[in-house]
Amino acid sequence: MKHAFLTLLTALIAAVPADLRAADERIEFFEKKIRPVLVKHCYSCHAADAENIRGGLLLDSKAGWQAGGESGPAIVPGNPDEGLLLEALRHESFEMPPDRKLPDDVIADFERWIKDGAVDPRTDGVALERGTIDLAAGRSFWSFRALERPAIPSSGQSWARTDIDRFVAEHDSRQGVSPVGDASAEEVARRMYFVLIGLPPTPDDLDVFRADWDQNPDAAVSNLADELLASPRFGERWGRHWLDVVRFAESSGGGRSLMFPDAWRFRDYVIASFNDDKPFDQFVREHIAGDLLPWETPEQHDAQVTGVGYLTLGPTNYEMQDKELLRMEVVDEQIDTLGRTFLGMTLGCARCHDHKFDPVPMTDYYALAGIFRSTKTLVPGNVSGYVTTSLKSGVDAEEQAEWQRREADLLARIKALKEQVTSPDLAKTAGIDPASLPGIVVDDAFAKFTGQWTDSTHSPPYVGEGYRHDGNDKSGKSVRFEVMLPESGRYRVHLAHNASASRCSSLPVHVEHAGGTAVATIDQRKTTEPDGVFSFVGEYQFEAGDAAVISINAEESSAGYIIVDAVQFLPVSDDAPLADRVTAEEEKQQAALRSELAKQEEKLKKHVAAKPKIPQSMAVIDEAVPGDWHLHIRGGIRNLGPLVPRGFVSVASPQLDESGAAVPASIPANQSGRRELAAWVASPDNPLTSRVFVNRVWQYLIGEGLVRTPDNFGATGRPPTHPELLDHLATTFVDDDHWSVKKLIRRIVTSRVFRLSSTAPADLVQADPENLHLTRAFRRRLDAEALRDAILHVSGQLDLSTKGGLTIGRISTYDNGYEHDMYSKSIRSVYVPFFRNSMLETFEVFDIANPNLVTGRRTSSTLPSQALYLLNSPFVLTQSELAARHFLATQSADTAALDVMIEAAYRRTLGRRPSELERRTMAEFFAERDAAATDGWTAVFQSLFASVDFRYLD
């Protein structure tokens, strides 16, 4: 079987060169991962302005570490182990920083940076002073200029059909090149199906499109675009693109990576938003301030508060114990993510200093930090939590009201009973003074213990300075309380212990009294007295002068921790002091009240457990006391500078004062400012938001963006190849299409540019070596989801009935070790559980987006592991066999001729007919095989799945 596959693979597969990480990405890595650590931990001893430069080593400039220090070179680019810096960070010789070793992940970042060549854009050690950035000059940069609608070129080229074509024709004519011809009808159809819905066309789909194309190619493309844009599969495809951008995952990453059981609501919200063609400006507002927006229906409320989950879905180490650092890490991640998602800006670079490349001062960063510090994202705790909001739709209002009425009734009964019970409420008190209690109290400090007991104050309440427990080890352990009571008479005996589910459920207590020895059994999982401290043992006669003995033999008890705290004797005879006198009738009444109280509390416990579930969504809310925040000097969380008024990014703010500075944002004192921030980001006057988004759409449709760095529209990003076309798309998107994503997509796919062939003559390729001009289509690789879904689609196994909801098969606290079960193997990829630490293997192998980062453009690698996966993966092997069985089951008698079957297999899998060479190769393959057997066709489909034409889109 494998030999058959390899025979075909040799004939069909081709190699593709690997992409290399661009220099600007390495600069971005330095700014994000390396420079902040140097500033925070190294500059105090290794900067030009340090009081004492240790070892003669400067780390505040590239020239400084290139020169090295007194002990030798600090960094050897490309060789992490040769310089002293990494050795010192590891505390292997020198120790930097000297007070503590940095976390392993930080050291790993330095190792990666050095291995990648130690790219360092710093030219000297002098930081820009705040206020020296020239905002007026900054606004002349292409991405910060105000949007203006460019004039439509009057192209004389006959191939141009739309305004988009005319902009491209005008641009390319200046370059002296002309576009190639159209792709074939089959190529255009396959392209449209994959880019719009992420699935391949069937042979029937191809036939219908071909018939339309032969009559009128423009109409055929237009009609198919309308059909696919209306499909629910559209939102699943384009929702997945957006989930890359917003770094969506269903677990936290960091620490032990907590699962997010409700994150699926955000995923489904995104898919529904694209299917419903929600205006993009509204989509933006919901992401930033959905919880603060007005709503008219429960469904609108739920969509908006789910949308603001964008702010809390990032990678967060909730176990971090420095809570102030955790809070600022979350704020930094929110600022950086918002900047890249909507503005195409690396705002996080301004946390420690003025941005080194873009006109963004530190004050802008901390103006935004004030907004996000005024936003509650975290819930306090040893392991912090995240904010959730109750949803309003899908809730049975009558059921909720009845439950609340019943709860109020039970609480009222319990309150009334507690007021009638005379025992003091000590349940939340630690270290109760024995002298404050009635009767005679003997603390564990005066008892005789046998065996190894453990002193503890871990679980209040307790009497005296603490209590003891057996560690849930019963062997050889016992305790004996012995007291001489001052007067003869009857006494109520009580045993003090804290209660919980881990305690002993059946503890025999021996009482030596005037009438002999009695044994009472106590359940230490709960107390029988309403004070939450004591359990009632029994009422006995004791004689003055004889020892009253209470003893416990641990080996007689059931499993669970035995708690030994104190014993209390309460006199009940008529001769007892007046303050301690309790009549038999009063005691009977109190016992009845205590019993009824216990019953009602048990009912309340069961009632709470049966509370109707109210669906929750991950969200944020405003802090109770919002306000401006301090600038952090050098980014230090406790090195606070002056307060910075809350606001936005000055260079992109359209309202300017007479001096050219941005007009301060008007944020109400009692609000976070997120609503105003959302309005600013989504404003048609914002020069970045629409440009950034239309560029993302162009990239997903055409294969390359007009700006090749979709998350970076700053100085370290790439400038647009067609700036007039970019602004044309942005202005028509806002003004003509009213932020409609579907209309924008339709404009592009119905252009002639979209259907150009990806094949070009050699002279055109030489004239256009980097594909910077839209003279031909960009051939691109299918991403991991499209590849997997296409395989399932061809095999007939793809489950298109699942349209959202919770798809995590096993909910647990952490995602580590999660096993993707069979359920995950047939649902569409966008619905497969998406964890930061436990990815589906197909996703990992084929360059899925890193959910820890905003990913506007995925890495595209060519690795041996990918070929090995297609060769050996149980998933691919199983689906190849299923594809063969499905294929054979659909072949009727009149189409059973081998040549017809070969053509059908190719059209089903690759969307085209086989070439003559491929026909001959297949015919030779089946020359000695039964063409009706499953094994041969299993090899065929595995070969086709592994072929270049299946994995690439022309």
Side-chain angles (χ1 to χ4, degrees):
M1 177 64 183
K2 185 173 290 187
H3 174 73
F5 165 71
L6 289 172
T7 301
L8 286 177
L9 186 63
T10 301
L12 299 174
I13 200 165
V16 179
D19 289 347
L20 300 177
R21 212 156 46 89
D24 53 296
E25 291 177 333
R26 297 197 291 270
I27 292 174
E28 184 178 317
F29 183 82
F30 174 84
E31 293 294 338
K32 180 68 177 177
K33 298 290 187 178
I34 304 303
R35 191 198 289 259
V37 178
L38 293 174
V39 170
K40 181 176 180 180
H41 296 289
C42 305
Y43 278 18
S44 59
C45 299
H46 297 283
D49 58 353
E51 294 182 5
N52 180 20
I53 301 175
R54 302 287 181 88
L57 175 63
L58 292 173
L59 294 176
D60 59 341
S61 67
K62 182 175 182 179
W65 60 255
Q66 284 179 325
E70 297 169 357
S71 301
I75 297 170
V76 177
N79 296 291
D81 295 330
E82 291 191 17
L84 294 175
L85 179 62
L86 198 60
E87 186 178 297
L89 292 176
R90 293 169 174 161
H91 282 206
E92 293 175 346
S93 55
F94 301 101
E95 296 184 354
M96 288 175 52
D99 56 337
R100 63 185 176 91
K101 184 181 176 183
L102 294 177
D104 291 342
D105 57 339
V106 174
I107 296 172
D109 288 338
F110 272 83
E111 183 175 2
R112 173 183 167 184
W113 171 60
I114 296 170
K115 187 176 182 179
D116 279 356
V119 172
D120 184 349
R122 299 171 302 167
T123 56
D124 55 49
V126 181
L128 291 174
E129 294 295 329
R130 290 187 300 277
T132 61
I133 289 178
D134 187 340
L135 291 177
R139 290 190 182 95
S140 65
F141 188 72
W142 71 266
S143 64
F144 302 133
R145 293 178 198 147
L147 268 174
E148 294 182 358
R149 186 187 290 263
I152 307 296
S154 54
S155 171
Q157 299 199 30
S158 60
W159 68 269
R161 295 284 194 277
T162 68
D163 289 344
I164 290 174
D165 301 331
R166 295 180 184 94
F167 276 103
V168 173
E170 170 72 16
H171 183 278
D172 288 348
S173 66
R174 295 197 301 264
Q175 304 296 325
V177 294
S178 299
V180 299
D182 288 343
S184 68
E186 289 76 10
E187 288 172 333
V188 172
R190 189 169 188 263
R191 188 182 299 174
M192 291 184 70
Y193 271 86
F194 270 111
V195 299
L196 292 182
I197 65 171
L199 295 172
T202 66
D204 288 344
D205 295 330
L206 293 173
D207 290 340
V208 170
F209 183 76
R210 181 75 213 198
D212 291 345
W213 176 278
D214 288 343
Q215 292 186 24
N216 186 326
D218 293 337
V221 169
S222 179
N223 292 337
L224 183 58
D226 291 338
E227 176 188 334
L228 297 179
L229 287 169
S231 167
R233 310 281 83 84
F234 168 77
E236 294 169 344
R237 177 59 172 165
W238 282 76
R240 182 59 255 182
H241 287 322
W242 188 250
L243 295 177
D244 281 6
V245 175
V246 297
R247 58 21 176 162
F248 169 81
E250 295 182 81
S251 62
S252 66
R256 285 177 284 180
S257 193
L258 299 173
M259 274 193 184
F260 293 154
D262 293 310
W264 64 269
R265 298 185 190 281
F266 182 85
R267 176 202 66 208
D268 289 0
Y269 152 83
V270 168
I271 292 171
S273 296
F274 279 100
N275 273 333
D276 296 342
D277 199 19
K278 179 176 292 183
F280 186 70
D281 59 339
Q282 175 66 16
F283 195 52
V284 172
R285 292 186 182 94
E286 291 174 358
H287 275 44
I288 301 171
D291 58 310
L292 304 177
L293 300 178
W295 52 275
E296 296 180 356
T297 66
E299 290 75 16
Q300 184 184 6
H301 165 273
D302 292 354
Q304 291 175 176
V305 299
T306 300
V308 82
Y310 159 75
L311 294 175
T312 199
L313 282 167
T316 301
N317 183 3
Y318 290 96
E319 295 175 318
M320 186 181 293
Q321 293 304 299
D322 187 335
K323 299 305 180 182
E324 183 59 24
L325 175 59
L326 174 60
R327 185 178 185 185
M328 279 308 300
E329 289 294 300
V330 170
V331 167
D332 179 67
E333 199 276 336
Q334 290 170 334
I335 293 173
D336 190 63
T337 298
L338 177 133
R340 294 173 188 271
T341 300
F342 299 115
L343 308 176
M345 297 189 68
T346 55
L347 299 177
C349 296
R351 179 176 181 176
C352 305
H353 49 74
D354 287 347
H355 203 295
K356 298 300 181 182
F357 305 102
D358 297 330
V360 181
M362 281 183 77
T363 48
D364 278 4
Y365 178 92
Y366 287 98
L368 291 168
I371 292 174
F372 288 113
R373 280 189 64 94
S374 298
T375 300
K376 185 177 180 65
T377 307
L378 298 168
V379 175
N382 179 48
V383 175
S384 298
Y386 50 84
V387 172
T388 60
T389 296
S390 296
L391 303 182
K392 297 185 180 298
S393 61
V395 177
D396 188 328
E398 292 185 3
E399 183 184 23
Q400 288 287 336
E402 174 60 23
W403 185 92
Q404 291 171 353
R405 186 200 64 75
R406 177 64 174 156
E407 180 189 42
D409 182 55
L410 286 169
L411 289 172
R413 291 186 193 180
I414 290 170
K415 180 180 179 182
L417 286 167
K418 284 185 174 180
E419 290 173 351
Q420 297 177 66
V421 175
T422 58
S423 299
D425 184 7
L426 303 171
K428 296 183 180 179
T429 306
I432 303 165
D433 183 1
S436 68
L437 298 172
I440 297 166
V441 178
V442 184
D443 191 28
D444 63 292
F446 301 98
K448 296 179 181 179
F449 287 86
T450 301
Q452 193 69 34
W453 295 75
T454 301
D455 294 324
S456 181
T457 58
H458 183 271
S459 300
Y462 49 81
V463 175
E465 296 183 358
Y467 61 92
R468 301 189 200 189
H469 65 78
D470 69 340
N472 204 11
D473 177 8
K474 316 301 179 192
S475 58
K477 292 189 173 82
S478 63
V479 60
R480 179 182 177 90
F481 290 84
E482 188 171 326
V483 61
M484 303 296 290
L485 297 173
E487 297 182 15
S488 298
R490 296 191 66 78
Y491 290 81
R492 288 174 52 84
V493 179
H494 300 263
L495 183 70
H497 63 89
N498 54 62
S500 81
S502 65
R503 306 301 185 231
C504 175
S505 62
S506 180
L507 176 66
V509 178
H510 298 259
V511 182
E512 298 180 22
H513 54 92
T517 300
V519 179
T521 301
I522 302 300
D523 183 354
Q524 290 201 326
R525 294 174 303 178
K526 55 187 177 181
T527 57
T528 58
E529 299 296 313
D531 56 22
V533 178
F534 290 97
S535 282
F536 176 61
V537 178
E539 184 179 310
Y540 307 96
Q541 178 72 29
F542 294 97
E543 299 296 332
D546 292 337
V549 178
I550 311 297
S551 62
I552 295 170
N553 182 354
E555 293 181 344
E556 298 176 351
S557 71
S558 64
Y561 287 84
I562 296 174
I563 306 299
V564 177
D565 189 358
V567 174
Q568 181 187 46
F569 298 85
L570 286 174
V572 295
S573 69
D574 292 338
D575 297 331
L578 184 62
D580 296 333
R581 191 172 298 159
V582 179
T583 68
E585 184 60 30
E586 289 172 336
E587 174 56 34
K588 185 177 180 180
Q589 292 175 358
Q590 286 292 305
L593 288 170
R594 286 191 291 270
S595 176
E596 181 62 21
L597 176 60
K599 290 179 182 179
Q600 294 301 321
E601 287 180 330
E602 184 65 23
K603 285 184 179 180
L604 178 62
K605 182 178 179 180
K606 292 179 179 179
H607 181 69
V608 170
K611 182 177 182 179
K613 297 294 184 184
I614 299 178
Q616 302 290 310
S617 183
M618 299 176 70
V620 296
I621 57 175
D622 273 6
E623 289 280 8
V625 184
D628 299 333
W629 189 244
H630 299 270
L631 183 144
H632 290 193
I633 299 172
R634 286 185 170 173
I637 62 169
R638 295 177 178 86
N639 193 9
L640 303 182
L643 280 173
V644 178
R646 283 169 288 166
F648 317 136
V649 180
S650 300
V651 73
S653 297
Q655 294 184 334
L656 311 178
D657 60 22
E658 294 180 354
S659 66
V663 173
S666 178
I667 296 176
N670 63 342
Q671 297 178 18
S672 64
R674 278 187 295 115
R675 188 169 179 173
E676 291 72 22
L677 174 62
W680 173 77
V681 173
S683 168
D685 295 326
N686 189 311
L688 292 166
T689 306
S690 57
R691 280 185 176 126
V692 169
F693 184 70
V694 299
N695 184 67
R696 295 192 190 283
V697 172
W698 183 272
Q699 174 188 276
Y700 294 138
L701 293 172
I702 303 298
E704 286 287 356
L706 297 170
V707 178
R708 299 300 180 88
T709 51
D711 307 324
N712 185 356
F713 275 40
T716 59
R718 302 282 189 89
T721 57
H722 297 66
E724 296 86 1
L725 174 57
L726 179 66
D727 282 7
H728 166 75
L729 291 170
T731 52
T732 54
F733 175 53
V734 173
D735 298 334
D736 298 355
D737 298 340
H738 307 291
W739 301 88
S740 166
V741 177
K742 286 189 176 182
K743 288 182 179 179
L744 169 64
I745 292 172
R746 194 181 189 284
R747 280 181 185 276
I748 298 173
V749 299
T750 55
S751 70
R752 188 74 177 273
V753 168
F754 176 80
R755 63 180 193 249
L756 292 177
S757 172
S758 61
T759 304
D763 58 340
L764 181 57
V765 174
Q766 185 175 6
D768 181 26
E770 296 185 28
N771 251 348
L772 294 181
H773 315 304
L774 299 178
T775 54
R776 56 175 172 158
F778 291 93
R779 195 180 206 218
R780 86 290 298 265
R781 187 191 303 245
L782 293 183
D783 58 35
E785 296 95 332
L787 181 69
R788 176 183 172 275
D789 290 351
I791 290 174
L792 288 168
H793 189 268
V794 172
S795 72
Q797 302 302 305
L798 184 61
D799 172 18
L800 294 177
S801 64
T802 298
K803 298 177 181 178
L806 179 65
T807 56
I808 300 175
R810 177 179 54 84
I811 296 289
S812 59
T813 304
Y814 306 108
D815 74 346
N816 288 297
Y818 181 85
E819 295 183 5
H820 293 269
D821 56 20
M822 290 302 294
Y823 178 60
S824 296
K825 293 179 181 178
S826 61
I827 59 176
R828 191 153 193 206
S829 294
V830 71
Y831 298 121
V832 170
F834 200 72
F835 299 120
R836 288 188 161 96
N837 283 358
S838 298
M839 285 280 187
L840 191 70
E841 184 183 11
T842 312
F843 294 170
E844 290 185 315
V845 172
F846 291 100
D847 302 317
I848 197 75
N850 181 349
N852 296 310
L853 305 171
V854 171
T855 304
R857 179 182 181 183
R858 292 187 183 181
T859 300
S860 181
S861 65
T862 301
L863 300 171
S865 57
Q866 296 166 348
L868 291 171
Y869 181 85
L870 295 170
L871 176 65
N872 299 311
S873 161
F875 169 74
V876 175
L877 294 175
T878 299
Q879 296 307 316
S880 298
E881 181 179 351
L882 290 170
R885 294 183 183 279
H886 180 60
F887 174 70
L888 290 172
T890 58
Q891 297 302 298
S892 59
D894 60 340
T895 61
L898 179 60
D899 189 62
V900 175
M901 293 177 72
I902 291 172
E903 180 171 305
Y906 266 75
R907 295 191 74 210
R908 177 178 295 211
T909 311
L910 305 184
R912 64 170 176 82
R913 291 175 169 80
S915 67
E916 287 305 313
L917 176 60
E918 289 167 333
R919 288 180 188 273
R920 288 198 304 271
T921 301
M922 286 291 178
E924 291 170 3
F925 175 74
F926 279 108
E928 299 180 359
R929 291 177 174 83
D930 181 1
T934 302
D935 288 355
W937 288 104
T938 298
V940 168
F941 280 103
Q942 189 181 5
S943 301
L944 292 175
F945 289 155
S947 68
V948 169
D949 283 357
F950 182 78
R951 291 182 290 124
Y952 280 79
L953 186 63
D954 281 316

